[in-house]
Amino acid sequence: MVHIIKWKDRKNEISCYLPEDAVPDKNAVAELHQMTAMEETLERLTAVSGFFETNTPQIKKLILTPDFHKGAGIPIGTVMMTKGFVVPQAMGNDINCGMRFYTTDLSEEKIRQKLPELAKKIRHVFFEGGRQIPMTGRQREALFRYGLEGILETYRDSDRRGLWQYFQPEIQERWLDRTVFRGSIKTADAEGLEDFTGAYGELTYDDQIGTIGGGNHFLEVQRVAEIYDGQTANAWKLKKGAVVIMLHTGSLTIGHHSGLLNRKICQEIYPVGLTHPENKIYLIPEAYEKFNAWNRFWSVSGNAANFAFANRLFLGFMIQDVFTQVLGACDLELLYDAPHNYIWKKQIGGENYFIHRKGACCAGGCEEMTGTAYAYYGEPVMIPGSMGSSSYLLRGLGNPDALWSASHGAGRQKSRGEAVKGNDEAFRQFMEHFHVITPIDPNRTDLRGRADILKKWEESVRAEAPYAYKDIHEVIAVHTAHELAAPVARMEPVFTVKS
């Protein structure tokens, strides 16, 4: 059913798509009500002459996806459409946190046979300095300013060293059309990133690119367990029993840097003497008088988004490198790469609107995907379950009532603190049947007796265990019932890599 949540004490209402009989989390609802107080900020700013380009800036619509839960200031699963302004916090600080999905020619049986060797190699490549991604300052600047197209222009700088051996320009050019925004957001500069960029012509290494990040981020090797839509699955090269790879990560400290800059931009243009928002949520107007701030916002946000696209690209090369070294040459084919933390510009009836997604997938239908390889099926929507549970691949149905959006996961039902104190027996059973590869190998002989290290490791795994999240099957059922997206395939994990 669709729950209706009252928008503060106003006539506006918010559609909340939740599993049947589910009750919206009270902490998330309280956070939502605090967020919608931005209407009061909007009223105050509208009264300031010249702050907005028009006198009708609006929050046009708010919806909540089925994985709606408490975030930090703005709930996860919030989708908001505005006119005349943007709200940087409504995409979060992990700008362009998103998903990347590969089909492969790998064999599950071969992977399971070599799992101990794969785990050792994964720890080396992912966590022990074995990434080998040298870049010149010119490449990093091109990455920040032009995204994947910038990398394509400058890839020769790397001299095919390390992971660059897997960068094939003709394939990468083709994959741009399978990436939202072509993975390439043009920006004016790379504000505040000069030190990170480094010397223009010198090949150096950094500790960011090729990083999964913490929390619910992961790389998971999966088996296709069920096919629901044979026609779409065939077009997307999915077969039952096939091995696929799902990646979930974002812009890491680059996103945090951009988030802080955006907050600074908001506060710099806030009218002197005007009461500041109690909820600390600020906005940036699409106004000529504030044009520099507007351009800076898009440039700063684009830098982080471009980095996230590149980060997911190199994580794909990293797992390809592991498989190649242990199993032999393998083929990875990109199906799709999409953000779930960003702001989309959309024209409706000749007017400009801005769709903010924080922890929500874009789920365009055939009409929205016209001119792409997905025009006959709808946009690929990747919805992972909790660690160890099923994940789903769906096709977007372009539902305007849901702002062309879908969930980005199962959604937490327990905070990380609550999950750490979860059921011991449930955790034991989970670990018996699930393969998770983390920086720490708890079976190492030199860790015996190091209760402090093992306790910290166990808590990090417990925080993301299945009982901390909603039932993924119920979440998917909501998408079907309300025509947000249609299931194409269900996947089950073979193993998961987490920081």
Side-chain angles (χ1 to χ4, degrees), residues 63 417 425 428 441 482:
I63 71 106
E425 179 59 23
R428 185 188 65 77
D441 178 0
H482 295 287

Side-chain angles (χ1 to χ4, degrees), residues 65-84:
T65 62
D67 61 342
F68 167 64
H69 60 283
K70 189 179 183 308
I74 291 178
I76 310 299
T78 298
V79 185
M80 176 175 67
M81 183 164 72
T82 63
K83 180 183 177 186

Side-chain angles (χ1 to χ4, degrees), residues 228-409:
Y228 304 108
D229 178 345
Q231 184 179 13
T232 304
N234 184 58
W236 291 355
K237 298 181 181 178
L238 286 168
K239 294 181 180 179
K240 188 171 181 178
V243 171
V244 297
I245 297 168
M246 184 180 278
L247 263 163
H248 174 202
T249 190
S251 49
L252 310 169
T253 59
I254 304 300
H256 184 70
H257 160 83
S258 294
L260 289 175
L261 264 179
N262 281 336
R263 187 172 183 81
K264 183 181 176 184
I265 292 167
C266 288
Q267 292 175 339
E268 284 175 352
I269 65 171
Y270 199 82
V272 176
L274 197 68
T275 303
H276 282 253
E278 285 186 26
N279 61 9
K280 296 180 170 52
I281 297 175
Y282 293 84
L283 53 85
I284 300 178
E286 185 185 22
Y288 181 81
E289 287 83 357
K290 307 295 182 294
F291 203 60
N292 185 52
W294 182 254
N295 285 344
R296 278 181 71 201
F297 160 74
W298 286 110
S299 186
V300 163
S301 302
N303 293 154
N306 286 334
F307 179 85
F309 283 126
N311 191 37
R312 290 195 287 272
L313 171 69
F314 280 103
L315 281 163
F317 289 155
M318 286 159 65
I319 195 65
Q320 186 175 9
D321 186 46
V322 168
F323 282 133
T324 299
Q325 291 189 53
V326 177
L327 304 177
C330 63
D331 181 48
L332 271 62
E333 185 68 24
L334 180 67
L335 174 64
Y336 205 53
D337 186 306
H340 50 237
N341 281 11
Y342 204 63
I343 301 174
W344 280 251
K345 303 172 187 177
K346 189 172 181 67
Q347 251 203 4
I348 304 173
E351 296 190 279
N352 292 327
Y353 294 89
F354 303 95
I355 297 180
H356 305 61
R357 294 186 175 99
K358 183 180 179 185
C361 290
C362 38
C366 296
E367 182 180 346
E368 288 73 33
M369 302 310 289
T370 298
T372 75
Y374 313 102
Y376 297 104
Y377 309 100
E379 188 167 17
V381 176
M382 299 154 273
I383 305 184
S386 60
M387 184 170 61
S389 70
S390 294
S391 295
Y392 283 80
L393 180 67
L394 304 91
R395 59 184 185 87
L397 297 177
N399 187 331
D401 291 334
L403 292 177
W404 306 273
S405 301
S407 295
H408 87 310

Side-chain angles (χ1 to χ4, degrees), residues 124-144 151 158 163-164 193-199 202-212 250-255 306-308 310-312 314-315 318:
H124 172 68
V125 171
F126 281 73
F127 308 125
E128 296 169 358
R131 285 177 289 185
Q132 298 297 308
I133 313 172
M135 300 178 79
T136 62
R138 185 174 89 104
Q139 284 180 293
R140 290 193 186 94
E141 184 176 358
L143 183 165
F144 287 131
I151 291 178
S158 62
L163 292 179
W164 288 98
L193 294 168
E194 296 81 8
D195 288 345
F196 183 85
T197 299
E202 183 182 349
L203 275 173
T204 57
Y205 296 85
D206 64 74
D207 61 358
Q208 286 296 295
I209 197 79
T211 302
I212 293 175
S251 49
L252 310 169
T253 59
I254 304 300
N306 286 334
F307 179 85
N311 191 37
R312 290 195 287 272
F314 280 103
L315 281 163
M318 286 159 65

Side-chain angles (χ1 to χ4, degrees), residues 466-477:
Y467 47 73
Y469 286 81
K470 298 173 187 173
D471 186 299
I472 184 63
H473 310 296
E474 292 180 3
V475 167
I476 298 302

